[in-house]
Amino acid sequence: MSLCLVKVTADLARRIEADPDLLEQLWNSEDDEPDPEIAAIDRERDTLFEDFLDVSREAERFPWMKKALEGVGPEIDFDYGYGNASS
């Protein structure tokens, strides 16, 4: 299982909450007409893809990671296969 984190603006986060299908564009770069805000995300600087089990073992050491893993807002109705995303 992988952990996929991406840093987005507050405006984009609100748009994703309203339209969870936008999340597909974060991981799929083959869209013919990608959303401009998503296309502007710096994949090297603003995304993290790691093995979830490895990272979750370290969550208590890093408060920001605990917040990222547990979310700070409501769940987003978008299931990656291991439960819904959270904002």
Side-chain angles (χ1 to χ4, degrees):
M1 175 172 33
S2 297
L3 172 66
C4 306
L5 301 176
V6 62
K7 182 170 60 173
V8 299
T9 64
D11 288 338
L12 182 54
R14 283 189 288 276
R15 289 183 54 223
I16 290 170
E17 285 179 334
D19 182 8
D21 289 335
L22 286 171
L23 288 171
E24 288 290 338
Q25 292 184 31
L26 288 170
W27 323 123
N28 181 6
S29 60
E30 298 175 11
D31 286 337
D32 292 334
E33 295 183 38
D35 182 271
E37 278 188 284
I38 291 175
I41 292 172
D42 183 329
R43 306 285 191 205
E44 294 292 319
R45 187 188 69 208
D46 296 331
T47 61
L48 173 71
F49 299 95
E50 296 289 337
D51 180 273
F52 176 79
L53 296 176
D54 290 342
V55 173
S56 65
R57 289 183 192 108
E58 300 294 321
E60 296 302 320
R61 289 181 51 208
F62 305 102
W64 66 269
M65 182 61 73
K66 183 172 174 52
K67 194 180 285 189
L69 291 172
E70 296 177 2
V72 294
E75 284 189 351
I76 299 172
D77 187 21
F78 187 89
D79 189 346
Y80 285 108
Y82 296 97
N84 289 344
S86 60
S87 61

Coordinates of all heavy atoms in Angstrom, one line a residue:
M1 N 0.8 -1.2 0.0 CA 0.0 0.0 0.0 C 0.9 1.2 0.0 O 1.9 1.3 0.7 CB -0.9 0.0 1.2 CG -1.7 1.2 1.4 SD -3.0 1.2 2.7 CE -2.4 0.3 4.0
S2 N 0.5 2.2 -0.8 CA 1.3 3.4 -0.9 C 0.6 4.6 -0.2 O -0.6 4.7 -0.2 CB 1.6 3.8 -2.4 OG 2.3 2.8 -3.0
L3 N 1.4 5.5 0.3 CA 0.9 6.8 0.8 C 1.2 7.8 -0.2 O 2.4 8.0 -0.6 CB 1.6 7.1 2.1 CG 1.3 8.5 2.7 CD1 -0.2 8.6 3.1 CD2 2.2 8.8 3.9
C4 N 0.2 8.6 -0.7 CA 0.4 9.6 -1.7 C -0.1 10.9 -1.0 O -1.3 11.1 -0.8 CB -0.4 9.3 -2.9 SG -0.1 7.7 -3.6
L5 N 0.8 11.8 -0.8 CA 0.5 13.1 -0.3 C 0.8 14.2 -1.3 O 1.8 14.1 -2.0 CB 1.3 13.4 1.0 CG 1.2 12.5 2.1 CD1 2.2 12.9 3.3 CD2 -0.2 12.5 2.7
V6 N 0.0 15.2 -1.4 CA 0.3 16.3 -2.3 C -0.1 17.6 -1.6 O -1.1 17.7 -0.9 CB -0.5 16.1 -3.6 CG1 -2.0 16.1 -3.4 CG2 -0.1 17.2 -4.6
K7 N 0.8 18.6 -1.8 CA 0.5 19.9 -1.2 C -0.3 20.7 -2.2 O 0.2 20.9 -3.4 CB 1.8 20.6 -0.8 CG 1.6 22.0 -0.2 CD 2.9 22.5 0.4 CE 4.0 22.7 -0.6 NZ 5.2 23.4 -0.2
V8 N -1.4 21.2 -1.9 CA -2.2 22.0 -2.8 C -2.6 23.3 -2.1 O -2.6 23.4 -0.9 CB -3.5 21.3 -3.3 CG1 -3.1 20.0 -4.0 CG2 -4.4 20.9 -2.1
T9 N -3.1 24.3 -2.9 CA -3.5 25.5 -2.3 C -4.9 25.3 -1.7 O -5.6 24.3 -2.0 CB -3.7 26.6 -3.4 OG1 -4.7 26.2 -4.3 CG2 -2.4 26.9 -4.2
A10 N -5.3 26.2 -0.8 CA -6.6 26.1 -0.2 C -7.7 26.2 -1.2 O -8.7 25.4 -1.1 CB -6.8 27.3 0.8
D11 N -7.6 27.0 -2.2 CA -8.6 27.0 -3.3 C -8.7 25.7 -4.0 O -9.9 25.2 -4.2 CB -8.3 28.1 -4.3 CG -8.5 29.5 -3.8 OD1 -9.3 29.7 -2.8 OD2 -7.9 30.4 -4.3
L12 N -7.6 25.1 -4.3 CA -7.7 23.8 -5.0 C -8.2 22.7 -4.1 O -9.0 21.8 -4.5 CB -6.3 23.4 -5.5 CG -6.2 22.1 -6.3 CD1 -7.2 22.0 -7.4 CD2 -4.8 21.8 -6.8
A13 N -7.9 22.8 -2.8 CA -8.4 21.8 -1.8 C -9.9 21.9 -1.8 O -10.6 20.9 -1.8 CB -7.8 22.0 -0.4
R14 N -10.5 23.1 -1.8 CA -11.9 23.3 -1.8 C -12.6 22.7 -3.1 O -13.6 22.1 -3.1 CB -12.3 24.7 -1.6 CG -12.2 25.2 -0.2 CD -12.7 26.6 0.0 NE -11.9 27.7 -0.6 CZ -10.9 28.2 0.0 NH1 -10.5 27.8 1.2 NH2 -10.2 29.2 -0.7
R15 N -11.9 22.9 -4.2 CA -12.4 22.4 -5.5 C -12.4 20.9 -5.5 O -13.3 20.2 -6.0 CB -11.5 22.9 -6.6 CG -11.8 24.4 -6.9 CD -11.0 24.9 -8.1 NE -11.3 24.1 -9.3 CZ -10.3 23.6 -10.2 NH1 -9.1 24.0 -10.0 NH2 -10.7 22.9 -11.2
I16 N -11.3 20.3 -4.9 CA -11.2 18.8 -4.8 C -12.3 18.3 -3.9 O -12.9 17.2 -4.2 CB -9.8 18.4 -4.3 CG1 -8.8 18.6 -5.5 CG2 -9.8 16.9 -3.9 CD1 -7.4 18.5 -5.1
E17 N -12.6 19.0 -2.8 CA -13.7 18.5 -1.9 C -15.0 18.5 -2.6 O -15.8 17.6 -2.4 CB -13.8 19.4 -0.7 CG -12.7 19.2 0.3 CD -12.7 20.1 1.6 OE1 -13.3 21.2 1.5 OE2 -12.2 19.6 2.6
A18 N -15.2 19.5 -3.5 CA -16.5 19.6 -4.2 C -16.5 18.6 -5.4 O -17.6 18.2 -5.8 CB -16.7 21.0 -4.8
D19 N -15.3 18.3 -6.0 CA -15.3 17.4 -7.1 C -14.1 16.4 -6.9 O -13.0 16.6 -7.5 CB -15.1 18.2 -8.4 CG -15.0 17.4 -9.7 OD1 -15.3 16.1 -9.6 OD2 -14.7 17.9 -10.7
P20 N -14.3 15.4 -6.1 CA -13.2 14.5 -5.8 C -12.6 13.8 -7.0 O -11.4 13.4 -7.0 CB -13.9 13.4 -4.9 CG -15.0 14.1 -4.3 CD -15.5 15.1 -5.4
D21 N -13.3 13.8 -8.2 CA -12.7 13.2 -9.4 C -11.4 13.9 -9.8 O -10.6 13.4 -10.6 CB -13.7 13.1 -10.5 CG -14.8 12.0 -10.2 OD1 -14.5 11.1 -9.4 OD2 -15.9 12.1 -10.7
L22 N -11.3 15.2 -9.4 CA -10.0 15.9 -9.7 C -8.8 15.2 -9.2 O -7.7 15.4 -9.8 CB -10.1 17.3 -9.2 CG -11.0 18.3 -9.9 CD1 -11.2 19.6 -9.1 CD2 -10.5 18.6 -11.3
L23 N -8.9 14.4 -8.2 CA -7.8 13.7 -7.6 C -7.2 12.8 -8.7 O -6.0 12.5 -8.6 CB -8.2 12.9 -6.4 CG -8.5 13.7 -5.2 CD1 -9.1 12.8 -4.1 CD2 -7.2 14.4 -4.6
E24 N -8.0 12.2 -9.6 CA -7.4 11.4 -10.6 C -6.3 12.1 -11.4 O -5.3 11.4 -11.8 CB -8.5 10.9 -11.6 CG -9.5 9.9 -11.0 CD -8.8 8.5 -10.8 OE1 -7.8 8.2 -11.4 OE2 -9.4 7.8 -9.9
Q25 N -6.5 13.4 -11.6 CA -5.5 14.1 -12.4 C -4.2 14.3 -11.6 O -3.1 14.5 -12.3 CB -6.0 15.5 -12.8 CG -7.1 15.4 -13.8 CD -7.6 16.8 -14.3 OE1 -6.8 17.7 -14.3 NE2 -8.9 16.9 -14.6
L26 N -4.2 14.2 -10.3 CA -2.9 14.3 -9.6 C -2.0 13.1 -9.9 O -0.8 13.3 -9.8 CB -3.2 14.3 -8.1 CG -3.9 15.6 -7.6 CD1 -4.3 15.4 -6.1 CD2 -2.9 16.7 -7.6
W27 N -2.6 12.0 -10.1 CA -1.7 10.8 -10.3 C -1.7 10.3 -11.8 O -0.8 9.6 -12.2 CB -2.3 9.6 -9.5 CG -2.8 10.0 -8.2 CD1 -4.0 9.9 -7.7 CD2 -2.1 10.8 -7.2 NE1 -4.1 10.4 -6.4 CE2 -3.0 11.0 -6.1 CE3 -0.8 11.3 -7.1 CZ2 -2.6 11.7 -4.9 CZ3 -0.5 12.0 -5.9 CH2 -1.4 12.2 -4.9
N28 N -2.6 10.8 -12.6 CA -2.6 10.4 -14.0 C -2.3 11.6 -14.9 O -3.1 12.6 -15.0 CB -4.0 9.9 -14.3 CG -4.2 9.5 -15.8 OD1 -3.2 9.5 -16.5 ND2 -5.4 9.1 -16.2
S29 N -1.2 11.6 -15.5 CA -0.7 12.8 -16.3 C -1.1 12.6 -17.8 O -0.6 13.4 -18.7 CB 0.8 12.9 -16.2 OG 1.4 11.8 -16.7
E30 N -2.0 11.7 -18.1 CA -2.3 11.4 -19.5 C -3.6 12.1 -19.9 O -4.1 11.9 -21.0 CB -2.5 9.9 -19.7 CG -1.2 9.2 -19.5 CD -1.4 7.7 -19.6 OE1 -2.4 7.2 -20.0 OE2 -0.4 7.0 -19.2
D31 N -4.2 13.0 -19.1 CA -5.4 13.7 -19.5 C -5.1 14.6 -20.7 O -4.1 15.3 -20.7 CB -5.9 14.6 -18.3 CG -6.6 13.7 -17.3 OD1 -7.0 12.6 -17.6 OD2 -6.7 14.1 -16.1
D32 N -6.0 14.7 -21.6 CA -5.9 15.6 -22.8 C -5.9 17.0 -22.4 O -5.1 17.8 -22.9 CB -7.0 15.3 -23.8 CG -6.8 13.9 -24.4 OD1 -5.7 13.4 -24.5 OD2 -7.8 13.3 -24.9
E33 N -6.8 17.4 -21.5 CA -6.9 18.8 -21.0 C -6.9 18.8 -19.5 O -7.9 18.9 -18.8 CB -8.2 19.4 -21.5 CG -8.3 19.5 -23.0 CD -9.6 20.1 -23.5 OE1 -10.0 21.1 -22.8 OE2 -10.1 19.7 -24.5
P34 N -5.7 18.7 -18.9 CA -5.6 18.7 -17.5 C -6.0 20.0 -16.9 O -5.9 21.1 -17.5 CB -4.1 18.5 -17.2 CG -3.4 19.0 -18.4 CD -4.4 18.7 -19.5
D35 N -6.5 20.0 -15.6 CA -6.9 21.2 -14.9 C -5.6 22.0 -14.7 O -4.6 21.5 -14.3 CB -7.4 20.8 -13.5 CG -7.9 21.9 -12.7 OD1 -7.0 22.5 -12.0 OD2 -9.0 22.3 -12.9
P36 N -5.7 23.3 -15.0 CA -4.5 24.2 -15.0 C -3.8 24.2 -13.6 O -2.6 24.2 -13.4 CB -4.9 25.5 -15.4 CG -6.3 25.4 -15.9 CD -6.8 24.0 -15.5
E37 N -4.6 24.2 -12.5 CA -4.1 24.3 -11.2 C -3.4 23.0 -10.8 O -2.3 23.0 -10.2 CB -5.2 24.6 -10.1 CG -5.6 26.0 -10.0 CD -6.5 26.2 -8.8 OE1 -7.7 25.8 -9.0 OE2 -6.0 26.6 -7.8
I38 N -3.9 21.9 -11.3 CA -3.3 20.6 -11.0 C -2.0 20.5 -11.8 O -1.0 20.0 -11.4 CB -4.2 19.4 -11.2 CG1 -5.3 19.5 -10.1 CG2 -3.5 18.1 -11.2 CD1 -6.4 18.5 -10.3
A39 N -2.1 20.9 -13.1 CA -0.9 20.8 -14.0 C 0.3 21.7 -13.4 O 1.4 21.4 -13.7 CB -1.3 21.2 -15.4
A40 N 0.0 22.7 -12.6 CA 1.0 23.6 -12.1 C 1.7 23.1 -10.9 O 2.7 23.6 -10.4 CB 0.4 25.0 -11.8
I41 N 1.2 22.0 -10.3 CA 1.8 21.4 -9.1 C 3.2 20.9 -9.5 O 3.4 20.2 -10.4 CB 1.0 20.3 -8.5 CG1 -0.3 20.9 -8.0 CG2 1.7 19.5 -7.4 CD1 -1.4 19.8 -7.6
D42 N 4.2 21.3 -8.7 CA 5.6 20.8 -8.8 C 5.7 19.4 -8.2 O 5.7 19.2 -7.0 CB 6.5 21.8 -8.2 CG 8.0 21.4 -8.3 OD1 8.3 20.2 -8.5 OD2 8.8 22.3 -8.3
R43 N 5.7 18.4 -9.1 CA 5.7 17.0 -8.6 C 6.9 16.7 -7.8 O 6.8 15.8 -6.9 CB 5.6 16.0 -9.8 CG 4.5 16.3 -10.8 CD 3.2 15.9 -10.3 NE 2.2 15.9 -11.4 CZ 0.9 16.0 -11.2 NH1 0.4 16.1 -10.0 NH2 0.1 16.1 -12.2
E44 N 8.0 17.3 -8.1 CA 9.2 17.0 -7.3 C 9.2 17.6 -5.9 O 9.6 17.0 -4.9 CB 10.5 17.5 -8.0 CG 10.8 16.8 -9.3 CD 11.2 15.4 -9.1 OE1 12.0 15.1 -8.1 OE2 10.8 14.5 -9.9
R45 N 8.6 18.8 -5.8 CA 8.6 19.5 -4.5 C 7.4 19.3 -3.7 O 7.4 19.3 -2.5 CB 8.8 21.0 -4.8 CG 9.0 21.8 -3.6 CD 8.9 23.3 -3.9 NE 7.5 23.6 -4.2 CZ 7.2 24.6 -5.1 NH1 8.1 25.4 -5.6 NH2 5.9 24.8 -5.4
D46 N 6.2 19.1 -4.3 CA 4.9 19.1 -3.6 C 4.2 17.8 -3.5 O 3.1 17.7 -3.1 CB 4.0 20.1 -4.3 CG 4.5 21.5 -4.2 OD1 5.2 21.9 -3.3 OD2 4.2 22.3 -5.1
T47 N 4.9 16.7 -3.9 CA 4.2 15.4 -3.7 C 5.2 14.4 -3.0 O 6.4 14.6 -3.0 CB 3.9 14.8 -5.1 OG1 5.1 14.6 -5.9 CG2 2.9 15.6 -5.9
L48 N 4.6 13.5 -2.3 CA 5.3 12.4 -1.6 C 4.6 11.1 -1.9 O 3.4 11.0 -1.7 CB 5.3 12.7 -0.1 CG 5.9 11.7 0.8 CD1 7.5 11.6 0.6 CD2 5.6 11.9 2.2
F49 N 5.4 10.1 -2.4 CA 4.9 8.8 -2.6 C 5.8 7.8 -1.8 O 6.9 7.7 -2.1 CB 4.9 8.4 -4.1 CG 4.0 9.3 -4.9 CD1 4.6 10.4 -5.6 CD2 2.6 9.1 -5.0 CE1 3.8 11.3 -6.3 CE2 1.9 9.9 -5.8 CZ 2.4 11.0 -6.5
E50 N 5.2 7.2 -0.8 CA 6.0 6.3 0.0 C 5.2 5.1 0.4 O 4.0 5.1 0.3 CB 6.4 7.0 1.3 CG 7.3 8.2 1.2 CD 8.7 7.8 0.7 OE1 9.2 6.7 0.9 OE2 9.4 8.7 0.1
D51 N 5.8 4.0 0.9 CA 5.1 2.9 1.4 C 4.4 3.3 2.7 O 5.0 3.8 3.6 CB 6.1 1.8 1.7 CG 5.4 0.5 2.2 OD1 5.2 0.4 3.4 OD2 5.1 -0.3 1.4
F52 N 3.1 3.1 2.7 CA 2.3 3.6 3.8 C 2.7 3.0 5.1 O 2.8 3.6 6.2 CB 0.8 3.3 3.5 CG -0.1 3.7 4.7 CD1 -0.5 5.0 4.9 CD2 -0.5 2.7 5.6 CE1 -1.3 5.3 5.9 CE2 -1.4 3.0 6.6 CZ -1.7 4.3 6.8
L53 N 3.0 1.7 5.1 CA 3.3 1.0 6.4 C 4.6 1.5 7.0 O 4.7 1.7 8.2 CB 3.4 -0.5 6.2 CG 2.0 -1.2 5.8 CD1 2.2 -2.6 5.5 CD2 1.0 -0.9 6.8
D54 N 5.6 1.8 6.1 CA 6.9 2.3 6.6 C 6.6 3.7 7.2 O 7.1 4.0 8.3 CB 7.9 2.4 5.5 CG 8.4 1.1 5.1 OD1 8.2 0.1 5.8 OD2 9.0 1.0 4.0
V55 N 5.9 4.6 6.5 CA 5.7 5.9 7.0 C 4.8 5.9 8.2 O 5.1 6.7 9.2 CB 5.1 6.8 5.9 CG1 4.7 8.2 6.4 CG2 6.1 6.9 4.7
S56 N 3.8 5.1 8.3 CA 2.9 5.1 9.4 C 3.5 4.7 10.7 O 3.2 5.2 11.8 CB 1.7 4.3 9.1 OG 2.0 2.9 9.1
R57 N 4.6 3.9 10.6 CA 5.3 3.6 11.8 C 6.1 4.8 12.4 O 6.4 4.8 13.6 CB 6.3 2.5 11.5 CG 5.7 1.1 11.2 CD 6.7 0.1 11.0 NE 6.1 -1.1 10.4 CZ 6.2 -1.5 9.2 NH1 6.9 -0.9 8.3 NH2 5.5 -2.6 8.8
E58 N 6.3 5.8 11.6 CA 7.1 7.0 12.1 C 6.1 8.1 12.4 O 6.6 9.2 12.8 CB 8.0 7.4 11.0 CG 9.1 6.4 10.6 CD 10.0 6.1 11.7 OE1 10.4 7.1 12.4 OE2 10.4 4.9 12.0
A59 N 4.8 7.9 12.2 CA 3.9 9.0 12.4 C 3.9 9.7 13.7 O 3.8 11.0 13.8 CB 2.4 8.5 12.1
E60 N 4.1 9.0 14.8 CA 4.1 9.6 16.1 C 5.3 10.5 16.3 O 5.3 11.5 17.1 CB 4.1 8.5 17.2 CG 2.9 7.7 17.2 CD 1.6 8.6 17.4 OE1 1.6 9.5 18.2 OE2 0.6 8.3 16.7
R61 N 6.4 10.3 15.6 CA 7.6 11.1 15.7 C 7.4 12.5 14.9 O 8.2 13.4 15.2 CB 8.8 10.4 15.1 CG 9.3 9.2 15.9 CD 10.5 8.5 15.3 NE 11.5 9.5 15.0 CZ 12.4 9.3 14.0 NH1 12.4 8.2 13.3 NH2 13.4 10.1 13.8
F62 N 6.5 12.5 14.0 CA 6.4 13.7 13.2 C 4.9 14.2 13.2 O 4.1 13.6 12.5 CB 6.8 13.4 11.7 CG 8.2 12.8 11.6 CD1 8.3 11.5 11.4 CD2 9.3 13.7 11.7 CE1 9.6 10.9 11.2 CE2 10.5 13.1 11.6 CZ 10.7 11.8 11.4
P63 N 4.6 15.2 14.0 CA 3.2 15.7 14.1 C 2.6 16.0 12.8 O 1.4 15.7 12.6 CB 3.4 16.9 15.0 CG 4.6 16.7 15.8 CD 5.5 16.0 14.9
W64 N 3.4 16.6 11.9 CA 2.8 16.9 10.6 C 2.4 15.6 9.8 O 1.4 15.6 9.1 CB 3.7 17.7 9.7 CG 5.0 17.0 9.3 CD1 6.2 16.9 9.9 CD2 5.1 16.1 8.1 NE1 7.0 16.1 9.3 CE2 6.4 15.6 8.2 CE3 4.2 15.8 7.1 CZ2 6.9 14.7 7.2 CZ3 4.7 14.9 6.1 CH2 6.0 14.4 6.1
M65 N 3.1 14.5 10.0 CA 2.7 13.3 9.4 C 1.5 12.7 10.0 O 0.6 12.2 9.3 CB 3.9 12.3 9.4 CG 3.6 11.0 8.7 SD 3.3 11.2 6.9 CE 5.0 11.5 6.4
K66 N 1.4 12.8 11.3 CA 0.1 12.3 11.9 C -1.1 13.0 11.4 O -2.1 12.5 11.1 CB 0.3 12.5 13.5 CG -0.9 11.9 14.2 CD -0.6 12.0 15.7 CE -1.7 11.6 16.6 NZ -2.4 10.4 16.3
K67 N -0.9 14.4 11.3 CA -2.0 15.2 10.7 C -2.3 14.8 9.3 O -3.5 14.7 8.9 CB -1.6 16.7 10.8 CG -2.8 17.6 10.6 CD -2.3 19.0 10.7 CE -2.0 19.5 12.1 NZ -1.8 20.9 12.2
A68 N -1.3 14.5 8.5 CA -1.5 14.1 7.1 C -2.2 12.8 7.0 O -3.0 12.6 6.2 CB -0.2 14.1 6.4
L69 N -1.8 11.8 7.9 CA -2.3 10.5 7.8 C -3.8 10.4 8.3 O -4.6 9.7 7.8 CB -1.5 9.5 8.6 CG -0.1 9.2 8.0 CD1 0.7 8.4 9.0 CD2 -0.2 8.5 6.7
E70 N -4.1 11.2 9.3 CA -5.4 11.2 9.9 C -6.3 12.3 9.4 O -7.5 12.2 9.6 CB -5.3 11.3 11.4 CG -4.6 10.1 12.1 CD -4.4 10.3 13.5 OE1 -4.9 11.3 14.1 OE2 -3.8 9.4 14.1
G71 N -5.8 13.2 8.6 CA -6.6 14.3 8.1 C -6.9 15.3 9.2 O -6.8 15.1 10.4
V72 N -7.3 16.5 8.7 CA -7.7 17.5 9.7 C -9.1 18.0 9.4 O -9.7 18.7 10.2 CB -6.7 18.8 9.6 CG1 -5.3 18.4 10.1 CG2 -6.7 19.3 8.2
G73 N -9.6 17.6 8.3 CA -11.0 18.0 7.9 C -11.8 16.8 7.6 O -11.5 15.6 8.0
P74 N -12.9 17.0 6.9 CA -13.8 15.9 6.6 C -13.2 15.0 5.6 O -12.3 15.3 4.8 CB -15.1 16.6 6.0 CG -14.5 17.9 5.5 CD -13.4 18.3 6.4
E75 N -13.8 13.7 5.6 CA -13.3 12.8 4.6 C -13.9 13.2 3.2 O -15.0 13.8 3.1 CB -13.9 11.4 4.9 CG -13.1 10.7 6.0 CD -13.5 9.2 6.1 OE1 -14.5 8.8 5.5 OE2 -12.9 8.5 6.9
I76 N -13.2 12.9 2.2 CA -13.6 13.2 0.8 C -14.1 11.9 0.2 O -13.4 10.9 0.4 CB -12.4 13.8 0.0 CG1 -11.9 15.1 0.6 CG2 -12.9 14.0 -1.5 CD1 -10.7 15.6 -0.1
D77 N -15.2 11.9 -0.4 CA -15.8 10.7 -1.0 C -15.1 10.3 -2.2 O -15.5 10.4 -3.3 CB -17.3 11.0 -1.3 CG -18.0 9.7 -1.7 OD1 -17.5 8.6 -1.3 OD2 -19.1 9.8 -2.3
F78 N -13.9 9.7 -2.0 CA -13.0 9.2 -3.0 C -12.2 8.1 -2.5 O -11.3 8.4 -1.7 CB -12.1 10.4 -3.6 CG -11.3 10.0 -4.8 CD1 -11.9 10.1 -6.1 CD2 -10.1 9.4 -4.7 CE1 -11.2 9.8 -7.2 CE2 -9.3 9.1 -5.8 CZ -9.9 9.2 -7.1
D79 N -12.5 6.9 -2.8 CA -11.8 5.7 -2.3 C -10.7 5.3 -3.1 O -10.8 5.0 -4.3 CB -12.8 4.6 -2.1 CG -12.3 3.4 -1.3 OD1 -11.1 3.4 -1.1 OD2 -13.1 2.6 -0.9
Y80 N -9.5 5.2 -2.5 CA -8.3 4.7 -3.2 C -8.1 3.2 -3.1 O -7.2 2.7 -3.6 CB -7.0 5.4 -2.6 CG -6.8 6.8 -3.0 CD1 -7.0 7.8 -2.1 CD2 -6.4 7.1 -4.3 CE1 -6.8 9.1 -2.5 CE2 -6.2 8.4 -4.7 CZ -6.4 9.4 -3.8 OH -6.2 10.7 -4.1
G81 N -9.1 2.6 -2.4 CA -9.0 1.2 -2.2 C -8.7 0.8 -0.8 O -8.8 -0.3 -0.4
Y82 N -8.3 1.8 0.0 CA -8.0 1.6 1.4 C -8.8 2.5 2.3 O -8.4 2.8 3.4 CB -6.5 1.7 1.7 CG -5.7 0.7 1.0 CD1 -5.1 1.0 -0.2 CD2 -5.5 -0.6 1.5 CE1 -4.3 0.0 -0.9 CE2 -4.8 -1.5 0.9 CZ -4.2 -1.2 -0.3 OH -3.4 -2.2 -1.0
G83 N -9.8 3.1 1.8 CA -10.6 4.0 2.5 C -10.6 5.4 1.8 O -9.9 5.6 0.9
N84 N -11.4 6.3 2.3 CA -11.6 7.6 1.7 C -10.4 8.5 2.0 O -9.7 8.3 2.9 CB -12.9 8.3 2.2 CG -14.1 7.6 1.6 OD1 -14.1 6.8 0.7 ND2 -15.2 7.9 2.2
A85 N -10.2 9.4 1.1 CA -9.2 10.5 1.2 C -9.7 11.4 2.3 O -10.9 11.4 2.7 CB -9.0 11.2 -0.1
S86 N -8.9 12.2 2.9 CA -9.3 13.2 3.9 C -8.6 14.5 3.5 O -7.6 14.6 2.8 CB -8.9 12.8 5.3 OG -7.5 12.6 5.4
S87 N -9.2 15.6 4.0 CA -8.7 16.9 3.7 C -8.0 17.5 4.9 O -8.1 17.0 6.0 CB -9.8 17.9 3.2 OG -10.8 18.0 4.2

